[in-house]
Amino acid sequence: MSESAPAKGLYIKTYGCQMNVYDSERMADVLAPLGYGVVDDPAKADLVVLNTCHIREKATEKVYSELGVIKRLKQEKAQAGSAMTIAVAGCVAQAEGEEIMRRQPAVDLVVGPQAYHQLPELIARAHRARGERLAADFAAEEKFDALPTERRASGVTAFLTVQEGCDKFCTFCVVPYTRGAEWSRAPEAIEAEARSLAEAGVREVTLLGQNVNAYAADGLTLAGLVRRLAKIPGLDRIRYTTSHPKDMGEDLIAAHGEVEALMPYLHLPVQAGSDKILRAMNRAHSAESYLKLVEKIRAARPDIALSGDFIVGFPGETEADFEKTLQIVRDAGYASAFSFKYSRRPGTPAAALPGQIPDEVKEERLARLQALLDEQQRAFNLAQEGRTLPVLFEKPGRHPGQIIGRSPYLQSVHVSAPDRLIGQIVPVKIASAARNSLAGELAMETA
Ligand code: SAH
Ligand code: SF4
Ligand code: F3S
């Protein structure tokens, strides 16, 4: 049924990190043989999957409000004589599956991040008896074995999970509990998937892992894996995310100076600048060791665009501690960053710490941090004006005749150029920079 309309509509809504984006694609892959085709309107769906995120309270609460909306669609469908199955997947499903079932009776099944390969079977069971629930375990290995290595990529860029789980147990974070222990996929399986993506026209792949630079399988580190994938014809750009400072090996740093396909962009969260807070977070690095690391990476790849994550208002954070976060931002220098108010997550050690910070204080600190990060991002973008950068074009822009691509530094670049350049890497002269994007023109005549 490849070209005809799909027999059954599948609507997937994705929250959270890139790994959830990858997982959503793979859920569509395992459901395709059952006749499910992706639709972009939940009202047209026979099966709705919410792929959820548990990282902060707000992310979790969104799921419950979205479920209220979907429930009404399910009721309307039932009145019209057809059925809708509602599945909740992802990290909220893993963390509080039972609560989801209790709070929203319209949910037919919940499935954690390591068990979604069982969706076909679960859906069949849910159709037989409503209220089926899966106690998902952490058998990441089994999941990857059950997924097809063939990818039905439709774009120019793709995500590819190579590592999953986390053993770091930062005291604020739910991920070790929702994604399980660190585990790396076999290089052969990764290579097969990467080749299938390249054959489908993908030019850039982002290797994903909660601690991707902790990758270790068959004696291969992430650096070894990158070098291996860089040999695949057509795969011109490789990125990876997210890295932990503790796992930033010498060989990976060296690869940044040596492997042409490895893009000069690194997401290396530090979270905070005060050693007292870093210790309380169980980060296993100091402010100074982080800055030394950044210096080493810049020695290997001077133009690297550094990105990070920050948390303000961790329990016990004083004004002086917070100022150290501002200081580490000034010292490291970021091309982009994500920053968050600390969110107290049930079951994590930090939730029980004394010295929880009032929301107004977090709000005020976040605003100051974001002002500084915005200024740095703007400066990094402005520094590209007048330069000619290789841009991988990904999609049409919002204005007619415009296409959008990415610079090596992951900046969005808007150019007036024909659609046929989508999928190609083309030199672009950067004319102007805004906070979130660049604009430029083709630097040469294209045939
Ligand atoms: N494995 C990745 C991603 C973790 S989640 C890593 O280690 O970087 C992404 C970001 O969310 C984290 O880096 C952190 O900055 C933020 N985060 C995690 N838990 C949080 C919490 N309880 N409150 C606020 N931000 C949090
Ligand atoms: Fe969470 Fe820390 Fe693990 Fe990242 S390294 S996923 S922040 S526990
Ligand atoms: Fe959220 Fe789970 Fe990713 S909690 S950030 S979806 S690993």
Side-chain angles (χ1 to χ4, degrees):
M1 77 195 81
S2 54
E3 295 305 319
S4 58
K8 288 175 266 181
L10 165 65
Y11 176 79
I12 308 185
K13 183 153 183 172
T14 308
Y15 302 84
C17 62
Q18 291 113 322
M19 197 172 287
N20 264 12
V21 176
Y22 175 85
D23 289 345
S24 290
E25 268 187 47
R26 302 320 316 266
M27 286 191 245
D29 288 345
V30 295
L31 291 167
L34 276 75
Y36 285 101
V38 174
V39 295
D40 54 13
D41 177 3
K44 296 200 183 99
D46 302 283
L47 171 62
V48 170
V49 178
L50 300 186
N51 194 10
T52 62
C53 174
H54 196 52
I55 201 81
R56 283 167 290 274
E57 194 179 348
K58 258 202 195 129
T60 304
E61 282 310 312
K62 263 189 215 156
V63 178
Y64 291 101
S65 57
E66 182 69 20
L67 278 174
V69 175
I70 303 289
K71 178 189 127 188
R72 281 191 290 281
L73 293 176
K74 181 175 178 160
Q75 287 166 341
E76 282 165 23
K77 278 204 112 175
Q79 276 155 14
S82 55
M84 176 192 275
T85 303
I86 303 179
V88 180
C91 290
V92 183
Q94 179 64 43
E96 49 186 53
E98 302 210 356
E99 189 174 346
I100 295 169
M101 300 297 270
R102 192 174 52 73
R103 274 176 70 174
Q104 185 45 271
V107 172
D108 296 287
L109 58 107
V110 297
V111 54
Q114 308 306 350
Y116 62 74
H117 59 292
Q118 298 170 21
L119 266 174
E121 184 199 323
L122 285 167
I123 288 163
R125 264 159 59 186
H127 284 167
R128 284 198 297 271
R130 210 207 67 79
E132 195 69 47
R133 180 184 305 138
L134 183 81
D137 49 14
F138 289 127
E141 190 162 2
E142 190 192 308
K143 173 182 74 185
F144 284 115
D145 285 347
L147 297 176
T149 43
E150 284 291 301
R151 289 280 298 275
R152 299 168 309 134
S154 52
V156 173
T157 64
F159 293 131
L160 202 180
T161 293
V162 303
Q163 181 277 341
E164 202 162 341
C166 180
D167 298 340
K168 305 292 187 290
F169 291 93
C170 299
T171 54
F172 50 80
C173 184
V174 296
V175 171
Y177 313 99
T178 65
R179 292 277 174 170
E182 287 181 9
W183 186 82
S184 299
R185 282 179 80 186
E188 293 70 34
I190 295 166
E191 192 179 331
E193 200 174 313
R195 278 188 193 278
S196 132
L197 287 169
E199 278 156 22
V202 167
R203 305 288 304 271
E204 172 179 308
V205 66
T206 301
L207 309 179
L208 299 181
Q210 266 89 35
N211 284 277
V212 71
N213 58 344
Y215 179 87
D218 297 354
L220 215 59
T221 60
L222 183 65
L225 183 68
V226 164
R227 287 179 195 271
R228 188 157 158 179
L229 299 180
K231 296 196 186 102
I232 296 176
L235 215 58
D236 297 304
R237 291 183 163 192
I238 299 173
R239 304 180 186 276
Y240 61 89
T241 199
T242 292
S243 296
H244 193 288
K246 192 173 156 261
D247 294 319
M248 204 65 213
E250 299 285 341
D251 60 343
L252 187 56
I253 296 173
H256 271 286
E258 293 164 10
V259 181
E260 206 193 327
L262 187 55
M263 290 294 101
Y265 176 93
L266 178 62
H267 187 65
L268 194 65
V270 67
Q271 312 296 356
S274 146
D275 287 339
K276 179 191 97 189
I277 296 296
L278 288 170
R279 260 195 309 278
M281 286 177 164
N282 191 31
R283 283 293 295 180
H285 59 77
S286 64
E288 194 194 342
S289 67
Y290 178 84
L291 287 170
K292 282 222 170 92
L293 179 60
V294 168
E295 207 176 293
K296 250 200 223 166
I297 296 161
R298 289 220 167 97
R301 183 75 205 226
D303 65 336
I304 203 153
L306 184 66
S307 161
D309 290 340
F310 298 89
I311 294 177
V312 301
F314 185 83
E317 184 187 76
T318 62
E319 172 63 23
D321 291 320
F322 171 67
E323 275 165 21
K324 287 180 182 157
T325 296
L326 295 177
Q327 192 53 44
I328 204 165
V329 170
R330 287 186 205 105
D331 292 342
Y334 291 89
S336 71
F338 302 91
S339 46
F340 312 99
K341 290 189 284 183
Y342 168 72
S343 173
R344 199 170 178 176
R345 307 308 286 131
T348 59
L353 287 178
Q356 299 286 330
I357 307 294
D359 194 59
E360 318 81 80
V361 178
K362 289 183 198 169
E363 200 69 69
E364 188 263 345
R365 287 180 188 166
L366 185 66
R368 280 154 72 199
L369 174 61
Q370 288 185 339
L372 175 61
L373 290 166
D374 280 0
E375 197 182 297
Q376 291 196 342
Q377 182 167 341
R378 205 180 290 273
F380 184 85
N381 287 351
L382 271 173
Q384 313 303 325
E385 283 185 2
R387 286 186 71 192
T388 297
L389 300 177
V391 172
L392 170 57
F393 287 113
E394 291 176 18
K395 58 184 179 195
R398 250 182 300 149
H399 306 295
Q402 186 193 56
I403 54 175
I404 301 180
R406 296 261 183 196
S407 77
Y409 312 110
L410 207 58
Q411 297 147 303
S412 275
V413 186
H414 301 241
V415 180
S416 289
D419 280 6
R420 65 184 160 76
L421 294 183
I422 290 169
Q424 294 190 38
I425 298 171
V426 180
V428 170
K429 176 127 194 222
I430 304 303
S432 65
R435 185 170 72 97
N436 287 316
S437 65
L438 307 175
E441 47 204 55
L442 298 181
M444 53 164 74
E445 288 297 311
T446 53

